[in-house]
Amino acid sequence: MGENKKRGVMLSGIQPTGNFTLGNYIGAVGNWGKQEKEFDCFYFLADLHSLTIRQDPEALRHQSYSAFSLLISCGIDPDKSVVFAQSQVPTHAEMNWILNCYSYFGELSRMHQFKEKSKLHEENINAGLLTYPVLMAGDILLYQADYVPVGADQKQHVEFARDVAGRFNSIYGPTFKLPEPYIPEEGARLMSLQDPTKKMSKSDTNPYGYVTIVEDRDTIIKKFKRAVTDNEREVVYREGKDGINNLITIYSVITGKTHDEVAKEFEGKGYGDFKTAVGEVVADELAPVRTKYLELMSDLGELDKLLKKGAQRAYEVSLPTLLDAKHKVGLLYEVLDFCKAK
Ligand code: TRP
């Protein structure tokens, strides 16, 4: 356990599209900063992945600044973690091509997300939609990541990254570390406030279904007051009480209280009081995040500096793995001076 003990590497990405919700905060980005103590962390905007679906260019650029600010406002320290935009680090696209040649049409066309998205976007089943997991595998393997925090919907993609890494290593010798998905515990999955049988989603057409990370206090409380529950009046966590269960989950994750403690606290009180209380703790929790976010978004020049710093560092860390892979497959090794990492 000497000082030189190598720290594990944690890496995750998020697409800069749509607003981040309370669900993203509790289940993902809100925890990412906490990993800095234990791991070397890499967090990035998966903006290349966003191109698999048609985007409005101006909106995407704005969303990229916004999502980058959110990562930092939610607790990632850009002096400790490497925070960057995937498209600003050219090793990702290069690694993608190499790994494409070790990935099979059959396995890619069988992935859940490809099947779902091709149904949803029948008019645009582009090659990027098919090779999406290969780009993601490169994102992960370039940094020799040990753990990849993702939602359950992305688990298959992390498994694919392991498969490709294993396949490459068995042909060329050890090159990539095999990453493991790091799925947040249950309870971290929030449901829609309007239909608690569905996941809380930033693409919900009803804005009362979700709370975004940067909404103002009044809106947050209003949304919780309107949350759909049931016809009973007891605040207890019980099968069939999806709406109340979801609110108890939110309240207990934020306050650190157990489900039983929450039930005790609201014994004899109605749903109205409980909903307001949930809204208040959420609003309190998110207030500093919102302040920091607005401060960061008021200076895009400063954000550009942070992005550049992150991209530079990400490039330096990922280049040796890319060059190793290029060399192993027989590409010429020497790189132009301006590509050399410091
Ligand atoms: N596909 C992920 C998502 O939509 C985002 C992503 C891209 C990612 N590359 C990654 C996540 C690498 C983890 C690791 O959620």
Side-chain angles (χ1 to χ4, degrees):
M1 291 266 143
E3 280 169 37
N4 299 330
K5 185 172 169 267
K6 211 171 164 305
R7 281 153 55 97
V9 172
M10 183 154 288
L11 171 142
S12 197
I14 189 157
Q15 292 198 34
T17 42
N19 293 311
F20 292 1
T21 67
L22 180 64
N24 298 119
Y25 177 77
I26 286 182
V29 291
N31 298 318
W32 288 0
K34 296 180 192 146
Q35 311 292 346
E36 288 166 346
K37 273 197 234 108
E38 214 182 315
F39 298 97
D40 286 339
C41 298
F42 296 85
Y43 298 121
F44 63 94
L45 304 179
D47 51 355
L48 294 173
H49 280 103
S50 299
L51 298 183
T52 53
I53 289 168
R54 285 284 171 271
Q55 304 289 342
D56 171 63
E58 268 321 308
L60 179 60
R61 234 182 314 273
H62 172 78
Q63 289 287 341
S64 297
Y65 282 118
S66 171
F68 186 72
S69 302
L70 272 173
L71 291 181
I72 296 171
S73 336
C74 287
I76 297 171
D77 178 347
D79 288 326
K80 294 195 180 130
S81 296
V82 182
V83 207
F84 62 99
Q86 181 192 37
S87 66
Q88 293 187 312
V89 184
T91 46
H92 290 247
E94 267 195 86
M95 185 56 102
N96 178 225
W97 178 256
I98 296 177
L99 295 179
N100 262 335
C101 302
Y102 296 83
S103 305
Y104 294 99
F105 175 78
E107 60 185 346
L108 293 171
S109 60
R110 283 192 298 271
M111 307 289 284
H112 305 312
Q113 190 177 291
F114 174 68
K115 289 200 265 180
E116 270 162 37
K117 286 203 179 166
S118 349
K119 258 191 230 136
L120 222 59
H121 303 277
E122 257 175 2
E123 73 306 336
N124 183 22
I125 307 180
N126 58 70
L129 210 53
L130 179 73
T131 60
Y132 179 112
V134 189
L135 178 61
M136 179 158 162
D139 296 339
I140 299 169
L141 302 180
L142 274 170
Y143 298 86
Q144 307 287 347
D146 295 283
Y147 300 107
V148 184
V150 281
D153 61 320
Q154 297 294 317
K155 186 165 172 244
Q156 198 185 37
H157 290 162
V158 181
E159 280 158 4
F160 173 78
R162 279 180 75 91
D163 290 348
V164 179
R167 191 176 294 159
F168 194 99
N169 290 350
S170 72
I171 306 174
Y172 301 104
T175 309
F176 302 119
K177 184 159 246 174
L178 304 195
E180 273 176 44
Y182 188 89
I183 312 276
E185 50 197 277
E186 231 164 339
R189 183 181 143 92
L190 298 195
M191 311 309 280
S192 159
L193 299 180
Q194 291 298 309
D195 177 357
T197 59
K198 279 195 338 218
K199 189 177 152 187
M200 183 183 284
S201 162
K202 55 190 176 186
S203 46
D204 195 332
T205 48
N206 181 353
Y208 279 92
Y210 59 86
V211 167
T212 77
I213 300 182
V214 293
E215 263 164 328
D216 64 75
R217 186 177 184 84
D218 290 348
T219 310
I220 294 176
I221 294 175
K222 193 159 64 182
K223 286 188 174 182
F224 277 99
K225 281 188 174 161
R226 283 221 201 161
V228 169
T229 49
D230 52 55
N231 304 326
E232 302 172 14
R233 41 174 78 87
E234 247 187 319
V235 179
V236 282
Y237 197 100
R238 194 191 299 139
E239 198 172 334
K241 291 171 77 73
D242 295 332
I244 286 293
N245 294 349
N246 189 38
L247 296 179
I248 293 180
T249 300
I250 296 173
Y251 194 78
S252 75
V253 171
I254 292 181
T255 60
K257 293 177 184 165
T258 63
H259 293 174
D260 286 347
E261 285 165 349
V262 181
K264 248 212 190 94
E265 185 177 343
F266 292 94
E267 211 175 305
K269 297 194 184 136
Y271 283 178
D273 287 347
F274 178 53
K275 287 186 197 175
T276 307
V278 183
E280 282 170 353
V281 293
V282 170
D284 288 346
E285 170 81 14
L286 295 180
V289 177
R290 178 166 199 261
T291 307
K292 179 84 189 161
Y293 170 79
L294 294 174
E295 181 195 317
L296 286 164
M297 285 300 279
S298 69
D299 189 350
L300 296 191
E302 194 51 41
L303 283 178
D304 274 328
K305 278 193 207 145
L306 287 172
L307 278 158
K308 208 164 159 183
K309 180 174 110 168
Q312 178 71 39
R313 183 75 194 126
Y315 187 68
E316 287 164 7
V317 176
S318 57
L319 189 60
T321 297
L322 175 70
L323 292 181
D324 184 30
K326 282 175 85 168
H327 183 64
K328 282 181 168 141
V329 300
L331 297 172
L332 299 179
Y333 193 76
E334 198 49 39
V335 287
L336 296 174
D337 283 341
F338 74 84
C339 290
K340 278 194 180 128
K342 276 196 280 185

